[in-house]
Amino acid sequence: MDKKPIGQLLKELGYITEEQIQIALEVKNISGGLLGEILVALAFVSPVEVAEAIAIQSGKPFVDLSLYPPSKEALKLINKELATQLQVLPLSVEGNKLKVAMANPYDINAIDIIKRRTGLDIEVYVSDKESLSKAIEINYFLIEHPIEQEIKSIVSEIQEGNLTQNIPKLVDLILDKGIIERATDIHISPENLATHVFYRVDGIMRHSFSLPSDIHTAIVSRIKVMSGLDIAEQRLPQDGSFSYKFFNEEFDFRVSTIPTAYGENVVIRILSKNVSLFNLKRLGFEEYLYTQIEKALQQPQGIFLVTGPTGSGKTTTLYASLRKINALQRNVLTVEDPIEYKFPFIKQTQVNEKAGFTFARAIRAFLRQDPDVILVGEIRDEETAEMAIRASITGHLVLSTLHTNDSVSAIPRLTDIGIKEYMISAGVYGILAQRLVRKVCQFCKTKIQANIDDLVNLGFDKNFIQSYTNTDSIEIYKGKGCEHCKGTGYLGRLAIGELLIIDDEIGDMIIRKEPPLAILGEAKKKGMLTLKEDGFLKIVKGITTPEEVVRVVG
């Protein structure tokens, strides 16, 4: 059977358009090279998306190496030199079978060498080149230099009086561990007896290790120097940022300090520049919701709002939405604070409060730039909201974020800011509220029967549950806890959402100032699923747990 070309597969997956393929082919004719690599270089697709297509083409499963740490037993079967030379990462050993990750599943020679070296049958998984090379470097490095051991030995040296060289090394290790653990935030918190380092992983704070109190000030000073902050100022909060390279991957770190009773508390937000994150399909929305979001992004005008609390993935969804818009056919302009990732063929600008370049002023300037689509990083005040609404009413699609708990709450939030009801009705197309829920760990998931009454007590709707079962229990999955998920039973996160479409009836209700509850009732009659109901679909599929949905939604 003939293999489908990579370009065709990427198009079928919805990752690229025919027009993008044609541009890539033109570039290929000029510069040569593989089509997949050119599509990545043009940033039309990410390396992960190409790997997914290769996995489908080869009939091998795709593996996300950030969620599949290889076992030490498997790593010891192949040395680093051979793994690097063949671009093969051993993942795990099961009986007489060795699972390996490869970027090129068609490399029969590499598979044969590994098979002869290990004497095991080889099961191939597909990964992208970048993730694979990085995972080979990191995992073999960690076998020889375990981070916890490195930190302990550096702390011992510091306690012996060698501060100058070792504090920068210690701070680097704290950052490295955060990246390896997939943390979104690092907390360095001073207490009476010690300084504690926490990592927020999959939305949950985890205590990692403790450090001597007497080196806290030196650690904070080092971080302040890296972020361009004032090391002499310890009485006031400060904010800064810096870039950091970890095994050739660039990361942005946002730093916030506040004074506390025991010294300055430091929180560092980790921002990866990896475009693979910005993929609507990979965010995990249910198919019905994904289709509705896609339809919203094809609208010629109106505001599409993404809402939720801090850390609910709003910016990621906004950027992923941006990638779904054909910037070759539509003029797309963005104003962000700051620009976190650069996209091809999109005109991106950054807020500069000191120079007077605000969100509202940017929108005003954009309207003279013949725009089709305008992205506004966040609606924070009346002026920005009013300019965004005016832009949507005058024939532009506007994408933005807002801090609210659910989709319907965005309506009173906009009126609180100062927007009239008739403008909300006329200007807003749809409001997507979202949360991130942890996924059940794939390595230790186990099937259980959940009692329907117990689910009702957790706040799930009985009628909605009974549409999925005709007995008094339902089959769900939970994680037992293993080395992969650090005993939590969860590994990785994905989005749940609810999308309120402002049609004529709901628009009239907004103009009549009907309460949010009435608007919610009408939206549900029209088929809208709430965050909790959307979360329940994930529970039924064995992707998450009732407790996790309740934790993030309430």
Side-chain angles (χ1 to χ4, degrees):
M1 194 172 116
D2 290 340
K3 298 197 300 262
K4 277 188 183 178
I6 288 297
Q8 189 183 335
L9 282 166
L10 287 165
K11 189 180 163 188
E12 285 174 11
L13 287 165
Y15 293 158
I16 54 169
T17 63
E18 184 60 41
E19 195 172 0
Q20 288 172 325
I21 292 171
Q22 292 311 315
I23 288 174
L25 287 170
E26 282 180 36
V27 173
K28 185 175 185 286
N29 291 337
I30 295 165
S31 61
L34 298 170
L35 181 65
E37 288 174 0
I38 290 165
L39 287 165
V40 170
L42 289 168
F44 288 155
V45 291
S46 71
V48 168
E49 289 159 357
V50 173
E52 281 182 18
I54 291 169
I56 292 167
Q57 187 190 54
S58 64
K60 308 289 184 192
F62 171 79
V63 62
D64 181 348
L65 292 175
S66 68
L67 298 177
Y68 202 138
S71 70
K72 285 178 184 170
E73 179 194 8
L75 288 169
K76 284 172 185 170
L77 291 173
I78 305 171
N79 62 39
K80 185 190 174 185
E81 289 67 35
L82 188 61
T84 306
Q85 181 193 332
L86 300 177
Q87 282 296 285
V88 171
L89 180 68
L91 296 172
S92 64
V93 185
E94 288 175 18
N96 67 337
K97 191 184 291 177
L98 173 65
K99 293 181 178 179
V100 300
M102 301 176 71
N104 178 8
Y106 302 109
D107 191 343
I108 306 299
N109 182 47
I111 295 168
D112 191 49
I113 291 169
I114 298 297
K115 190 172 185 175
R116 281 189 280 112
R117 284 286 177 98
T118 62
L120 299 169
D121 292 333
I122 307 301
E123 188 176 327
V124 174
Y125 286 72
V126 180
S127 170
D128 67 283
K129 276 185 188 175
E130 282 183 21
S131 299
L132 183 68
S133 299
K134 195 174 73 176
I136 291 169
E137 285 289 322
I138 292 169
N139 285 291
Y140 283 101
F141 177 80
L142 290 176
I143 283 181
E144 294 166 27
H145 309 90
I147 281 191
E148 279 81 1
Q149 292 301 114
E150 296 265 308
I151 288 170
K152 275 181 190 171
S153 65
I154 282 180
V155 168
S156 298
E157 282 188 42
I158 289 169
Q159 286 175 316
E160 286 166 18
N162 188 356
L163 266 173
T164 315
Q165 282 183 316
N166 286 309
I167 288 293
K169 268 192 208 169
L170 178 59
V171 169
D172 285 355
L173 286 170
I174 290 170
L175 300 177
D176 292 350
K177 186 169 170 61
I179 294 166
I180 291 164
E181 297 275 344
R182 299 181 300 105
T184 52
D185 301 87
I186 304 169
H187 291 244
I188 302 169
S189 305
E191 291 295 332
N192 187 21
L193 301 174
T195 286
H196 301 280
V197 179
F198 295 83
Y199 294 101
R200 188 178 289 279
V201 180
D202 291 337
I204 301 290
M205 291 264 284
R206 290 185 195 164
H207 183 271
S208 191
F209 50 88
S210 302
L211 298 168
S213 296
D214 53 7
I215 65 168
H216 180 78
T217 304
I219 291 169
V220 174
S221 294
R222 171 62 185 164
I223 293 166
K224 281 183 170 183
V225 168
M226 293 169 80
S227 339
L229 302 180
D230 182 354
I231 60 169
E233 181 56 77
Q234 297 178 9
R235 300 160 302 167
L236 294 172
Q238 293 188 66
D239 294 308
S241 63
F242 62 93
S243 288
Y244 182 81
K245 258 194 175 167
F246 179 70
F247 284 96
N248 292 322
E249 186 177 351
E250 193 84 19
F251 289 84
D252 279 340
F253 288 82
R254 303 272 163 74
V255 177
S256 168
T257 70
I258 59 162
T260 72
Y262 298 109
E264 289 179 280
N265 191 75
V266 180
V267 177
I268 305 170
R269 167 65 55 95
I270 304 174
L271 297 166
S272 169
K273 293 186 176 179
N274 189 344
V275 70
S276 306
L277 297 169
F278 309 126
N279 179 316
L280 265 181
K281 274 206 165 150
R282 287 172 63 83
L283 293 182
F285 289 115
E286 291 292 314
E287 193 60 39
Y288 80 93
L289 200 51
Y290 176 77
T291 307
Q292 289 177 334
I293 294 168
E294 270 200 315
K295 187 183 174 188
L297 297 174
Q298 301 313 314
Q299 296 303 310
Q301 70 266 324
I303 292 185
F304 178 63
L305 281 175
V306 183
T307 78
T310 304
S312 58
K314 297 188 297 296
T315 304
T316 304
T317 299
L318 211 57
Y319 275 166
S321 300
L322 208 54
R323 284 193 68 212
K324 287 298 292 180
I325 291 167
N326 188 344
L328 297 171
Q329 293 180 353
R330 298 168 89 181
N331 184 22
V332 184
L333 294 106
T334 80
V335 55
E336 305 165 52
D337 184 21
I339 294 170
E340 289 180 15
Y341 189 86
K342 294 180 179 70
F343 293 94
F345 303 101
I346 288 173
K347 295 85 181 172
Q348 293 173 267
T349 65
Q350 187 163 310
V351 167
N352 187 334
E353 299 280 353
K354 284 180 185 171
F357 188 62
T358 60
F359 281 122
R361 192 165 178 181
I363 301 167
R364 201 173 283 118
F366 287 174
L367 293 175
R368 296 190 288 273
Q369 287 275 316
D370 183 33
D372 294 298
V373 182
I374 295 171
L375 181 144
V376 182
E378 187 184 342
I379 290 176
R380 297 175 182 166
D381 53 50
E382 183 180 355
E383 194 186 4
T384 306
E386 195 171 315
M387 285 305 304
I389 295 263
R390 287 192 190 286
S392 73
I393 291 170
T394 53
H396 308 92
L397 178 65
V398 180
L399 311 179
S400 192
T401 67
L402 195 67
H403 285 271
T404 66
N405 283 334
D406 56 31
S407 54
V408 176
S409 301
I411 296 161
R413 174 85 180 97
L414 287 170
T415 56
D416 283 349
I417 288 173
I419 304 303
K420 299 282 188 288
E421 284 80 1
Y422 74 88
M423 287 185 79
I424 297 170
S425 171
V428 180
Y429 172 81
I431 303 162
L432 172 71
Q434 71 172 62
R435 296 289 189 282
L436 295 175
V437 293
R438 290 181 294 167
K439 294 191 284 186
V440 175
C441 175
Q442 295 302 301
F443 299 97
C444 62
K445 68 190 293 187
T446 181
K447 204 181 286 183
I448 63 164
Q449 289 293 322
N451 189 288
I452 286 177
D453 289 338
D454 292 341
L455 294 175
V456 171
N457 290 336
L458 285 172
F460 291 94
D461 182 82
K462 191 166 189 173
N463 293 330
F464 191 75
I465 298 169
Q466 285 177 332
S467 63
Y468 288 88
T469 180
N470 52 12
T471 65
D472 59 359
S473 68
I474 194 162
E475 193 176 271
I476 65 170
Y477 285 84
K478 288 198 177 179
K480 288 187 287 190
C482 65
E483 61 171 343
H484 294 287
C485 62
K486 304 277 196 300
T488 62
Y490 297 98
L491 187 61
R493 286 192 295 176
L494 81 175
I496 59 171
E498 62 178 35
L499 180 57
L500 173 68
I501 302 294
I502 313 285
D503 60 12
D504 292 343
E505 288 85 5
I506 288 175
D508 285 343
M509 292 176 80
I510 292 168
I511 291 169
R512 294 197 304 268
K513 300 185 181 181
E514 296 212 18
L517 213 55
I519 293 171
L520 176 64
E522 180 64 25
K524 287 187 74 172
K525 275 187 210 165
K526 292 172 180 290
M528 182 184 100
L529 297 187
T530 63
L531 281 163
K532 211 159 199 174
E533 289 166 345
D534 189 60
F536 186 77
L537 301 183
K538 298 274 196 294
I539 295 166
V540 172
K541 290 180 178 179
I543 297 169
T544 191
T545 64
E547 291 79 9
E548 180 61 10
V549 173
V550 170
R551 182 185 72 81
V552 298
V553 178

